[in-house]
Structure formats: C-alpha cells, structure tokens
C-alpha cells in the first residue's frame, strides 16, 4: 500500500523539483495568453539605480534565466509598455525591445567585442551606399540625390574619403585609412552597443547608413526608405504589393527604431545631462 | 518628409498609447508620465547643456515610429494572413457555386456477378 502511494507521487515530485527559479514563464515555444494583470517597474537599490520589470509581482528574466536590469528609466518604461500592450496573447515576434535586450544581456553566442567589430568591418567593404547602378537613368539620379548626402556627411564627420562606384570589380574601394577610422570609431562602443549596431546594420544592409542613424542625421523612416532605395524605385514603376512591401517596411522600421532606442539609452543617460557635449 | 514638431509627436505618442484597446487607461501607464516629464524637463535643457538641438526629440520620434510600426505590422499581418481560400470561396469570386453532391449508399465490394 505504501509502496503504491510512493510510486504514484514520484512523478509529481520530479516535476516539482525541475521547476527551478530559472524559468522565463515558459514563453519560448507556445502561444501564451497574457497571464499577468499589471506591469510595473521596480528600482533596485544600488548606486547606479537599476530598474527591473515586474509582471504582477514576478520579475522578468531573460531566456537564460538572468534577471533583466536596465539602468535607464525610459528604456525600462518602454519595455514595460511593450509587455503591457499585449492584449490577449503574448506576441513575442513583435516585441523587439524585449528580444534585443535579451540578446544583449544574455549574449547566447558568446561573441566577443573583437569578433563583433570584425563582423561589422566585413560589411563595410561591400556597403550598399558605395555601389551604384547606372542603368535606368532615373534610378541613377535617385541614388545620387539620396545617397550622396550620406557620404558627404560621413566624410565630413570622420575626415574620410568614401567614394561610390558604378563597377563591381573595383579593388580597395574603401581605403585603409578610412577602414581604420571607422574601426576606431566602432571600438569606442561597448559590447552591448555593438551587438545593437550589428543588428541595425544587418537590417539596413549598410554600415554607413547605420552610422548616419546613430548620429541622428536622418530619421528612422527616412533611413529605412534609403536602405531600400531600389525597391522603392521599382514600386514607383510597378506598384506596391501591400502584403510584401508594406510589411517589409514596417518590419524594418519597428526593428530599427527599437534598436536605436536601446542604443541611445545604453550610451546616454537621458535623465542626467552632466557633460557639455555628447560625442556619439 | 516634414519633421514633426515636438507637440505633434507628443500628441501622436499619446494616441498610440491609448489606441491599444488596453484594459487600463493610458494615464495609468508609467510611460506616459515619464514622457510628459521628459518633455517638460528638456525644453530649457537643450540649449543650456549644448546638446545637439532636438536630440531628445529625435528619441521621442523614434519611439513614436516604434509604436506606430508595431501597430501597422499587426494590422497587415492580420489582414493578409488568412490563408488560401477554400474551393467554395474561390468559386464564389466569380459567382459560381460548387455542384451539389448526393450521398448514396456504398456499393458492396464483392458484387457477385451473375453468370
């Protein structure tokens, strides 16, 4: 009798033991309904005040189980708002702030800062803005009008000499000095910011456009249009397909704006402005 | 495109926050209070601390873009992800209907044949 009782209860004991503190509410695979009523922020009492997100008194954690602590209040509030906006079902694919913060905190691929800089510099040699097409002449005109201001801005900011080309077989389009300048600029950021930078560059397919965005030269809508210049040109010729083109542009905009918010908040503490000039 | 002024950005952010058919009013959400606070605080600050003008406004615009694009993406996704039409729906586009089918009893498999 006792033996049977023990056998019956062991599965539930095993299940109880494996529920450690490291759950992230089981959000990874299936569709979860909103299980919390209220989202709030808590300050944890350290000298750079860190904020944590509370879903109904339970603290939010990354998929690997670390507590999410954010130093910037605006970012913490934006993240809380993101969780609050999930009406019935939790749609993780639209929560870009959450996903990006998880990646920067967790670093699941264990990428070092030098690896990140190398990846970004690899993109630079084949930057979209540098390779132009001269075939329809209106498109050539459009490229010159839209992308040349970006190049002149970057050349002015960094004293470099980026030039565009119409050929694909040009060697060393980006000269060594320019590469080193950009590399030095990139290594001045810390590793989470570089992860975000790489993310933006992968969405925009261009490092130079990312730098223009970081330096607030153009708005997010403008930059995302510039990165898809050829698509926009073809849309003006052949008309827009809403479920593909519109979807793509709002997707790019949402990802880039989320990433920019995190980048800005990582590199500027919005609430306290002590120094005289921001160098970013 | 014409860049939006601070006031329009503020109004649109409020609109986005309240348009989320949420269970609670946006006034309760802390983001609203924080943004209001930032707006009030940063108006005289920008000139005083030699910040690039409208730097915080850029961040506010970015947040607005984020909220708007999330909402639009959701709309597009729900509009266009209904899947393919069934045969009956496809026929109905041009006004046709599927033919009526009649249920009849199955013929026995081992039909013994005469002769």
């Amino acid at each position: 009798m006792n033996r049977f009782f023990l056998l019956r209860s062991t599965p539930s004991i095993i299940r109880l033991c494996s529920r450690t503190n490291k759950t992230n509410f089981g959000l990874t695979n299936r569709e979860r309904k909103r299980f919390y009523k209220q989202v709030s922020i808590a300050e944890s009492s350290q000298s750079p005040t860190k904020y944590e997100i509370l879903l109904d008194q339970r603290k939010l954690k990354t998929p690997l189980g670390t507590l999410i602590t954010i130093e910037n209040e605006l970012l913490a509030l934006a993240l809380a708002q993101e969780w609050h906006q999930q009406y019935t079902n939790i749609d993780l694919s639209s929560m870009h702030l959450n996903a990006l913060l998880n990646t920067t905190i967790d670093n699941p691929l264990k990428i070092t800062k030098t690896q990140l800089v190398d990846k970004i510099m690899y993109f630079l040699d084949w930057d979209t803005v540098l390779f132009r097409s001269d075939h329809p002449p209106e498109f050539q005109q459009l490229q010159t009008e839209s992308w040349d201001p970006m190049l002149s801005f970057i050349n002015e900011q960094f004293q470099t000499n980026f030039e565009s080309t119409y050929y694909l077989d040009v060697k060393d389009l980006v000269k060594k000095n320019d590469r080193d300048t950009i590399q030095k600029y990139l290594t001045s950021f810390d590793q989470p910011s570089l992860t975000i930078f790489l993310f933006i560059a992968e969405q925009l397919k261009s490092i130079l456009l990312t730098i223009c965005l970081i330096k607030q030269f153009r708005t997010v809508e403008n930059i995302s249009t510039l990165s898809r210049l050829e698509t926009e040109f073809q849309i003006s010729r052949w008309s827009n397909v809403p479920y593909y083109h519109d979807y793509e542009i709002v997707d790019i905009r949402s990802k880039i704006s989320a990433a920019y918010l995190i980048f800005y908040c990582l590199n500027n503490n919005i609430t306290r402005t002590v120094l005289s000039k921001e160098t970013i | 495109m014409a860049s939006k002024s601070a006031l329009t950005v503020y109004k649109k952010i409020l609109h986005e926050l309240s348009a989320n058919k949420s269970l609670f009013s946006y006034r309760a959400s802390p983001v609203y209070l924080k943004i209001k606070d930032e707006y009030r605080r940063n108006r005289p600050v920008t000139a005083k601390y030699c910040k690039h003008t409208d730097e915080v406004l850029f961040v506010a615009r970015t947040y607005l873009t984020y909220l708007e694009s999330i909402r639009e993406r959701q709309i597009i996704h729900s509009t266009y992800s209904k899947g393919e039409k069934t045969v009956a729906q496809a026929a109905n586009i041009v006004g046709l209907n599927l033919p009526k089918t009649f249920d009849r009893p199955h013929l026995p498999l081992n039909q013994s044949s005469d002769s």
Side-chain angles (χ1 to χ4, degrees):
Chain A
M1 179 77 158
N2 283 347
R3 218 173 349 134
F4 290 139
F5 180 65
L6 194 60
L7 276 175
R8 181 81 65 85
S9 62
T10 31
S12 56
I13 290 179
I14 291 174
R15 244 181 287 139
L16 217 68
C17 292
S18 62
R19 252 176 86 193
T20 61
N21 287 335
K22 287 186 166 212
T23 55
N24 60 338
F25 315 119
L27 281 171
T28 33
N29 290 327
R30 51 201 176 99
E31 200 180 282
R32 281 290 290 246
K33 285 198 192 301
R34 178 175 174 150
F35 53 85
Y36 46 90
K37 291 210 179 54
Q38 238 190 343
V39 184
S40 51
I41 309 269
E43 273 188 41
S44 72
S45 57
Q46 294 163 9
S47 113
T49 46
K50 293 186 192 254
Y51 296 93
E52 295 161 357
I53 316 278
L54 298 173
L55 302 176
D56 257 356
Q57 310 309 320
R58 280 194 285 185
K59 297 194 183 181
L60 184 62
K61 295 193 168 122
T62 67
L64 286 186
T66 39
L67 204 58
I68 291 188
T69 50
I70 304 175
E71 289 198 4
N72 190 304
E73 194 185 348
L74 190 68
L75 191 56
L77 287 169
L79 185 59
Q81 174 66 22
E82 203 175 60
W83 280 94
H84 181 66
Q85 271 178 5
Q86 308 301 316
Y87 190 49
T88 41
N89 286 326
I90 297 183
D91 178 20
L92 284 175
S93 65
S94 73
M95 296 165 63
H96 297 120
L97 282 178
N98 188 43
L100 282 172
L101 277 170
N102 284 344
T103 316
T104 53
I105 293 180
D106 271 349
N107 196 6
L109 301 175
K110 306 268 185 292
I111 296 190
T112 63
K113 185 168 147 173
T114 38
Q115 281 174 334
L116 276 172
V117 174
D118 285 338
K119 276 194 187 188
I120 299 175
M121 294 308 293
Y122 180 70
F123 257 126
L124 185 64
D125 285 327
W126 308 105
D127 203 296
T128 316
V129 173
L130 299 175
F131 291 92
R132 312 276 172 92
S133 152
D134 52 0
H135 184 57
E138 296 97 352
F139 184 46
Q140 180 182 8
Q141 179 70 19
L142 184 64
Q143 283 174 316
T144 323
E145 281 168 7
S146 329
W147 285 345
D148 278 352
M150 306 291 132
L151 285 183
S152 53
F153 173 73
I154 289 194
N155 286 335
E156 193 186 300
Q157 289 278 317
F158 292 100
Q159 273 84 49
T160 54
N161 221 350
F162 285 109
E163 290 166 347
S164 58
T165 175
Y166 290 101
Y167 303 105
L168 283 178
D169 55 351
V170 176
K171 264 196 193 169
D172 292 336
L173 181 64
V174 178
K175 303 175 193 60
K176 180 133 195 343
N177 294 341
D178 300 347
R179 288 200 93 204
D180 291 339
T181 322
I182 302 284
Q183 188 156 357
K184 206 168 84 163
Y185 174 66
L186 291 174
T187 39
S188 70
F189 294 120
D190 59 346
Q191 205 238 355
S193 314
L194 281 179
T195 321
I196 304 281
F197 190 98
L198 183 63
F199 179 78
I200 302 182
E202 281 170 356
Q203 299 298 317
L204 290 178
K205 319 280 192 304
S206 159
I207 303 292
L208 300 176
L209 284 180
T210 317
I211 296 184
C212 287
L213 177 66
I214 299 290
K215 291 197 172 274
Q216 293 191 355
F217 184 51
R218 289 277 195 260
T219 60
V220 169
E221 287 103 336
N222 208 329
I223 290 270
S224 48
T225 325
L226 286 176
S227 82
R228 332 186 307 153
L229 202 65
E230 186 182 351
T231 317
E232 297 284 330
F233 177 70
Q234 303 294 359
I235 289 176
S236 68
R237 282 267 174 109
W238 301 103
S239 97
N240 190 25
V241 175
Y243 55 81
Y244 185 75
H245 292 130
D246 283 347
Y247 186 80
E248 191 187 28
I249 199 152
V250 295
D251 197 41
I252 289 184
R253 272 189 208 164
S254 57
K255 289 180 176 154
I256 292 182
S257 41
Y260 179 77
L261 280 171
I262 300 182
F263 188 93
Y264 186 82
C265 294
L266 284 178
N267 287 310
N268 294 290
N269 208 344
I270 290 188
T271 49
R272 297 286 132 227
T273 58
V274 179
L275 297 176
S276 60
K277 199 163 62 127
E278 294 295 340
T279 49
I280 128 178
Chain B
M1 70 167 70
S3 65
K4 307 181 180 118
S5 73
L7 191 58
T8 39
V9 172
Y10 183 58
K11 281 192 208 159
K12 287 189 182 187
I13 290 184
L14 292 192
H15 179 70
E16 286 294 329
L17 291 180
S18 63
N20 272 307
K21 43 180 168 62
S22 58
L23 311 163
F24 315 100
S25 155
Y26 68 88
R27 282 175 192 274
S29 96
V31 179
Y32 165 69
L33 299 169
K34 175 69 178 177
I35 291 184
K36 200 162 73 163
D37 188 45
E38 284 300 324
Y39 261 80
R40 290 219 192 106
R41 187 203 298 255
N42 278 307
R43 254 187 313 132
V45 157
T46 49
K48 197 162 142 201
Y49 285 112
C50 311
K51 265 170 143 16
H52 174 68
T53 50
D54 301 335
E55 188 173 312
V56 186
L57 184 58
F58 187 86
V59 181
R61 268 193 223 122
T62 310
Y63 188 53
L64 174 66
T65 313
Y66 179 57
L67 292 174
E68 278 177 349
S69 49
I70 293 284
R71 190 170 52 91
E72 284 166 21
R73 182 181 174 274
Q74 185 61 35
I75 292 176
I76 294 180
H77 189 73
S78 55
T79 324
Y80 290 107
S81 67
K82 303 277 196 251
E84 284 187 0
K85 294 187 194 291
T86 65
V87 178
Q89 285 173 330
N92 272 331
I93 297 179
V94 288
L96 297 174
N97 291 316
L98 284 183
K100 285 199 181 28
T101 55
F102 297 98
D103 276 332
R104 56 161 196 211
H106 293 294
L107 294 176
L109 285 174
N110 302 330
Q111 197 168 21
S112 56
S113 54
D114 303 301
S115 86

